[in-house]
Each structure stands twice: as structure tokens, then as C-alpha cells.
Amino acid sequence: MEPKYRRILLKLSGEALMGEAGYGISPEVMFKIAREIAEVHALGVSMGIVIGGGNIFRGISGAAKGMDRARADYMGMLATLINALALQDALELEKVPSRVLSALEVRAVAEPYIRGRALRHLEKGRVVIFACGTGNPFFTTDTAAALRALEIKAEVLFKATKVDGVYSDDPIKNPAAQKYNSLSYDEVLSRGLKVMDATAISLAREYGLPVLVFDMLKSGNIKRAVCGENVGTLIGG
């Protein structure tokens, strides 16, 4: 299989890392994702990864319960760092070289994020895991994914989630919900589709960054997406 894309940004859902559990990290899911990333890495594809933290703590959920929003968001950023370190560990077991770069300085466990350093790691064939979002409260990891994708000059942003694409409604609650094969950025915004936050979609639209949404738990989907097969929903592009 020949890759269609040579450099990608993969956004992984933190909540999907729970597997069947209600909290935390499922080792089985993490190792499965690591194996799939290893397959893509073996194709010579340059890869950056942004990972969410919803399996541990979501800042917006803490704020809804009375916490200071900025402080809650910083806690959420640290949750993404935990996930990033777990993914790095799983990748090492698959013999895939990787580095964790954090937007918040936590030098004991991760390198500080510097764009030039990230690009050098990618050029040397390492998978770069971006932790702690943008380093700023009030911004989601979706926005961080769009930002990092543009910074590393990725050809596409892969948003890997628990569903197999973008639907007109929640497919679990509404069996009649329609799945879209493709959408424009404006359609996502005007229809209020909850695939990514508006800031991330607007940033992708401004710079023409395609976004592919697909199911990360279906075996082989990351490799299929990299090779240009018809999986999920393509936004823009």
C-alpha cells in the first residue's frame, strides 16, 4: 500500500482510550493504537500526534461544576500529558522512536514545545506527540491539532474518534441520522455539527487544511486513511 500523504497530524480522542472502562486508559486500546501507528510509520509517513485528555479530566466539565475555568483547563492539559506519556511508552514497545513535546514546561518528563525542534524530530523519522494543547486555557485540543498541523506543514488533519464519520445527529440516539461522506468547512459551521469546535474548523478553513474524521477503533483505519481509502468523512480538501 502506497501512502497518499507524506506528513499527517493525527488527533486522537482521549475518551476513546478508555475502551469499555468508564475512566482512565485501557492498555489494550493503547497498544492497539500503537501497533497501527507503527504500521503507518513503517510506510515512511511523517507523523505528529495531538491527544485529548477527556478520559481523565475535561476542563469544561470542571468549570461546569464551579471550578475556575482557566485552572480547570490547565488540569485538562496535564491530563493530555499523561496520555502522551502512555502513548510514547506503547510506541517504544513497538520500536517506534518518539518524542513528547509539551506546551507547558514539565522538563522532567517532556521536552518543551519549540516548532523548530518538532520539525527536526520529524525529519529524523520520529513520531512527535504534542501534549498540553496550545498551552492556553479556553482552547481545545481540536484547536491545538489544527494549529500544530499547520505549524509542521501537515498535508491533512486526521481526527480519530469513536464514530465512523460525521452525522447529521447523534447516531446512537437517532438511528435515522445521516452520515456525510464529505462536507465543506462552511457546512460544518452553518449546520452546527459537533465534529470539532468552531475555532479549529475556522482555522482549517482559512489555510485550506483538509480534515478527515474516522473511527480510530476499527483495525487498520489509520493506515487506510493514510493510503487514501474512502474512510470516514472528509471536510474541505
Side-chain angles (χ1 to χ4, degrees):
M1 297 177 70
E2 288 295 320
K4 177 180 179 180
Y5 306 105
R6 289 296 176 179
R7 177 166 292 177
I8 68 169
L9 191 291
L10 177 64
K11 167 58 169 60
L12 294 174
S13 163
E15 291 182 349
L17 298 179
M18 294 187 294
E20 298 301 320
Y23 180 81
I25 300 169
S26 164
E28 292 79 11
V29 172
M30 186 64 80
F31 291 138
K32 175 180 179 295
I33 292 170
R35 286 192 295 271
E36 299 212 11
I37 291 171
E39 290 180 359
V40 172
H41 183 263
L43 295 175
V45 175
S46 180
M47 187 185 313
I49 299 174
V50 169
I51 191 165
N55 56 318
I56 298 172
F57 187 86
R58 291 174 60 87
I60 193 169
S61 299
K65 295 178 181 178
M67 292 184 67
D68 175 78
R69 174 62 190 269
R71 186 172 294 112
D73 278 352
Y74 282 119
M75 292 172 64
M77 291 179 216
L78 294 175
T80 73
L81 179 59
I82 292 172
N83 286 338
L85 293 172
L87 178 59
Q88 182 185 35
D89 184 74
L91 288 174
E92 287 183 357
L93 292 174
E94 294 294 327
K95 310 300 182 185
V96 176
S98 63
R99 295 292 187 274
V100 175
L101 272 60
S102 172
L104 298 179
E105 286 201 24
V106 193
R107 290 180 180 270
V109 294
E111 299 176 30
Y113 172 72
I114 300 171
R115 178 175 178 265
R117 179 178 292 177
L119 291 171
R120 285 195 297 274
H121 284 318
L122 291 169
E123 288 163 3
K124 291 180 179 179
R126 298 164 182 154
V127 172
V128 178
I129 308 168
F130 300 105
C132 296
T134 66
N136 301 288
F138 306 103
F139 289 92
T140 68
T141 50
D142 282 345
T143 298
L147 177 63
R148 298 291 183 246
L150 294 170
E151 287 184 304
I152 67 171
K153 300 181 179 180
E155 299 168 74
V156 63
L157 167 56
F158 286 167
K159 181 174 170 64
T161 70
K162 297 187 292 183
V163 294
D164 62 346
V166 182
Y167 285 79
S168 58
D169 196 3
D170 187 336
I172 297 176
K173 298 178 181 178
N174 180 8
Q178 175 190 356
K179 180 187 173 185
Y180 302 107
N181 290 322
S182 63
L183 289 163
S184 69
Y185 305 110
D186 289 335
E187 285 174 326
V188 173
L189 294 171
S190 64
R191 297 177 188 179
L193 300 174
K194 303 300 182 182
V195 56
M196 297 179 83
D197 68 87
T199 304
I201 291 294
S202 297
L203 188 58
R205 177 181 62 178
E206 184 172 353
Y207 293 96
L209 174 69
V211 179
L212 183 65
V213 183
F214 62 91
D215 182 359
M216 67 184 275
L217 300 178
K218 184 175 180 180
S219 296
N221 257 3
I222 300 176
K223 186 175 181 180
R224 293 186 191 99
V226 165
C227 293
E229 292 190 21
N230 185 22
V231 296
T233 301
L234 181 64
I235 301 170

